[in-house]
């Protein structure tokens, strides 16, 4: 299929952009490798046992889980079968890539996390959604394929596509989300970034490795990285709970790569999702400017019945309470569209005699604008 070819090209370009640089640190430290992707984006290979994620007070006694204890959800479609990850960048054994973070990035990421939308409180001003959610269950995970598009986003706007799991009780929430985000106010550029976000029992939320909590285990693929410039990107993201440990894994497959276990959010961080999450969801979200205008979502087009005309999320599966992988629409789903003037949702319809590999899917998105409401 042609997107596969396009993506292979894109990923090759991305690899070329990674310039491996050897940095010699002082005295006894082994040389550590860094990858500079662009002017303000550098990853340092740090000792996996000394990574900043472990500095969280709840992780004092944490033992790193090097890989999921039970085999992860199988890929049951044609994408990525038998693919091996071509290692063109990667940290040396025993080290993992961590984004070199400026104070500015850390404080911007914290501000955004505190001020804006999260999946269990949709009333944050200027936030709009077009997606699908299943509540009232006990879910061990969610996975979906989605595309991300380059969009023109103002400095105080954000536009993202995500999958999430979470639970709420009284005034507390726990959740984890991952996907693509364009958020110049946080990332410092208008590119599409993959990201992960969590909110745990201390009530705090955090993006990527901007504060402690996430444990990176992949030597090759960091949580949070920019996509190649000016082109759509595809990824399959999954968040799933480990059957043996209860930790929540982030797994990603990008175009020609194998399924990569990037790392996990340890169970110690949470109090409401120890035995699965009540809710799972997937879709697009935007954050409007303070001055009003809402940015585009998806690829900027409304769903119009043409599968390739607007952004699409396909093969949306969940893991049920027994860790069985099932189509999301085998559970009751709610459609979430809060600003139909600006953003739409078109649940995929496939004629019964025309089965496809798309599974449960939908198109979503829209142009945004000045009259999206608050
Ligand atoms: C890098 O960061 C500096 C300081 O924040 C900024 O002035 C510059 O425009 C950034 N460069 C890119 C390519 O984003
Ligand atoms: C770590 O273990 C010690 C000794 O068992 C215990 O007192 C402490 O509460 C534990 N800390 C955390 C954050 O679990
Ligand atoms: C995957 O690899 C196995 C073992 O090498 C091989 O038998 C099988 O035919 C491959 N499947 C595909 C779809 O290429
Ligand atoms: C979940 O339960 C609440 C409260 O019982 C109900 O209002 C809501 O419609 C349910 N949602 C779904 C998707 O079944």
């Amino acid at each position: 299929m042609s997107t596969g070819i396009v993506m292979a090209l894109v990923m090759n370009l991305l690899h070329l952009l990674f310039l491996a640089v050897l940095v010699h640190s002082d005295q006894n430290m082994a040389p550590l490798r860094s990858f500079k992707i662009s002017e303000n984006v550098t990853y340092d290979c740090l000792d996996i046992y000394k990574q900043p994620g472990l500095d969280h007070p709840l992780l004092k006694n944490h033992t790193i889980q090097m890989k999921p204890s039970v085999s992860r959800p199988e890929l049951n479609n044609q994408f990525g079968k038998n693919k091996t990850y071509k290692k063109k960048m990667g940290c040396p054994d025993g080290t993992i890539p961590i984004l070199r973070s400026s104070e500015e990035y850390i404080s911007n990421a914290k501000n955004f996390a505190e001020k804006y939308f999260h999946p269990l409180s949709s009333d944050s001003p200027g936030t709009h959604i077009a997606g699908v959610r299943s509540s009232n269950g006990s879910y061990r995970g969610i996975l979906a394929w989605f595309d991300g598009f380059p969009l023109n986003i103002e400095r105080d706007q954000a536009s993202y596509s995500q999958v999430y799991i979470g639970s709420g009780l009284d005034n507390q929430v726990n959740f984890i989300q991952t996907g693509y985000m364009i958020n110049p106010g946080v990332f410092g550029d208008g590119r599409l970034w993959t990201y992960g976000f969590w909110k745990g029992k201390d009530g705090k939320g955090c993006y990527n490795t901007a504060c402690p909590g996430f444990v990176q285990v992949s030597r090759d693929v960091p949580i949070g990285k920019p996509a190649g410039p000016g082109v759509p990107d595809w990824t399959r993201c999954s968040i799933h709970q480990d059957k043996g440990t209860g930790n929540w894994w982030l797994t990603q497959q990008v175009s020609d790569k194998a399924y990569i276990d990037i790392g996990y959010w340890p169970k110690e961080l949470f109090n409401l999702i120890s035995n699965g999450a009540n809710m799972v969801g997937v879709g697009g979200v935007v954050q409007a400017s303070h001055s009003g205008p809402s940015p585009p979502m998806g690829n900027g087009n409304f769903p119009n019945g043409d599968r390739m005309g607007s952004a699409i999320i396909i093969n949306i599966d969940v893991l049920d309470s027994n860790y069985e992988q099932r189509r999301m629409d085998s559970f009751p789903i709610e459609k979430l569209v809060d600003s139909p003037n600006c953003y739409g949702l078109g649940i995929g319809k496939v004629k019964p005699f025309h089965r496809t590999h798309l599974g449960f899917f939908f198109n979503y998105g829209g142009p945004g604008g000045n009259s999206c409401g608050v």
Side-chain angles (χ1 to χ4, degrees):
M1 95 180 233
S2 62
T3 46
I5 294 164
V6 172
M7 284 319 303
L9 267 170
V10 169
M11 293 316 296
N12 285 334
L13 274 173
L14 185 61
H15 289 314
L16 285 176
L17 289 173
F18 277 76
L19 300 173
V21 189
L22 275 181
V23 177
H24 290 274
S25 58
D26 37 26
Q27 296 122 21
N28 307 327
M29 296 281 285
L32 68 99
R33 193 173 271 258
S34 295
F35 295 96
K36 180 165 181 170
I37 294 186
S38 58
E39 195 182 328
N40 294 331
V41 183
T42 299
Y43 295 92
D44 293 315
C45 298
L46 305 182
D47 184 331
I48 188 169
Y49 295 103
K50 293 181 183 150
Q51 60 180 297
L54 294 170
D55 291 342
H56 197 287
L58 293 170
L59 302 182
K60 284 224 165 61
N61 302 329
H62 185 73
T63 307
I64 295 185
Q65 184 182 2
M66 297 306 289
K67 53 181 172 187
S69 53
V70 173
S71 71
R72 57 193 167 243
E74 290 302 321
L75 290 177
N76 54 12
N77 60 37
Q78 98 272 25
F79 295 106
K81 257 188 194 149
N82 275 5
K83 292 289 159 67
T84 52
Y85 179 52
K86 281 189 233 110
K87 216 175 276 177
K88 289 190 181 152
M89 63 149 187
C91 283
D93 235 345
T95 69
I96 42 89
I98 298 288
L99 182 68
R100 200 179 287 172
S101 305
S102 64
E103 302 269 329
E104 196 187 355
Y105 167 76
I106 291 169
S107 75
N108 289 343
K110 280 187 183 156
N111 283 341
F112 192 80
E114 275 162 28
K115 275 213 290 238
Y116 295 122
F117 172 82
H118 63 74
L120 295 117
S121 78
S122 55
D123 333 312
S124 123
T127 297
H128 300 295
I129 312 172
V132 161
R133 180 170 71 189
S134 289
S135 311
N136 303 345
S138 170
Y139 299 102
R140 301 292 186 169
I142 182 161
L143 61 164
W145 266 102
F146 42 98
D147 48 4
F149 294 87
L151 295 170
N152 236 340
I153 304 290
E154 300 295 328
R155 185 132 192 118
D156 61 348
Q157 300 176 327
S159 184
Y160 42 111
S161 310
Q162 59 170 6
V163 293
Y164 59 87
I165 63 97
S167 293
L169 186 66
D170 305 325
N171 292 327
Q172 288 187 80
V173 292
N174 284 182
F175 67 89
I176 297 172
Q177 61 190 83
T178 185
Y180 282 119
M181 179 181 276
I182 302 175
N183 189 334
V186 169
F187 295 116
D189 62 39
R191 278 187 288 185
L192 190 63
W193 284 69
T194 56
Y195 77 97
F197 181 77
W198 65 283
K199 199 165 206 154
K201 66 178 161 194
D202 63 358
K204 298 231 168 65
C206 194
Y207 286 97
N208 300 342
T209 50
C211 60
F214 183 76
V215 179
Q216 171 81 34
V217 301
S218 170
R219 290 198 277 149
D220 307 310
V221 180
I223 181 179
K225 61 183 181 309
V231 285
D233 203 34
W234 277 92
T235 188
R236 182 170 168 117
C237 279
S238 107
I239 304 168
H240 74 276
Q241 187 165 34
D242 192 279
K243 204 171 186 170
T245 62
N247 297 328
W248 287 88
W249 280 89
L250 168 64
T251 304
Q252 220 179 57
Q253 184 186 31
V254 182
S255 68
D256 62 340
K257 294 178 187 171
Y259 218 34
I260 307 277
D261 296 307
I262 294 177
Y264 62 90
W265 291 273
K267 65 173 181 306
E268 292 92 322
L269 301 173
F270 306 102
N271 57 340
L272 305 177
I273 52 175
S274 318
N275 285 303
N278 297 153
M279 182 184 290
V280 288
V282 54
V285 182
V286 297
Q287 181 62 50
S289 299
H290 306 298
S291 57
S294 273
M297 177 195 288
N299 70 354
N301 298 334
F302 282 110
N304 67 355
D306 169 13
R307 265 181 228 158
M308 300 319 282
S310 56
I312 189 169
I313 303 184
I314 64 171
N315 284 122
I316 308 167
D317 285 350
V318 299
L319 298 190
D320 69 11
S321 55
N322 296 317
Y323 305 88
E324 297 289 332
Q325 186 173 333
R326 301 171 56 182
R327 280 171 63 127
M328 186 177 181
D329 62 350
S330 54
F331 295 88
I333 56 169
E334 304 160 77
K335 295 183 207 170
L336 308 171
V337 178
D338 69 335
S339 183
N341 286 340
C342 292
Y343 311 104
L345 179 73
I347 300 288
K349 290 196 178 62
V350 179
K351 297 188 183 92
F353 56 85
H354 187 214
R355 292 205 157 272
T356 72
H357 55 275
L358 299 178
F360 172 54
F361 72 98
F362 61 79
N363 285 92
Y364 70 102
N370 288 307
S371 47
C372 302
V374 285

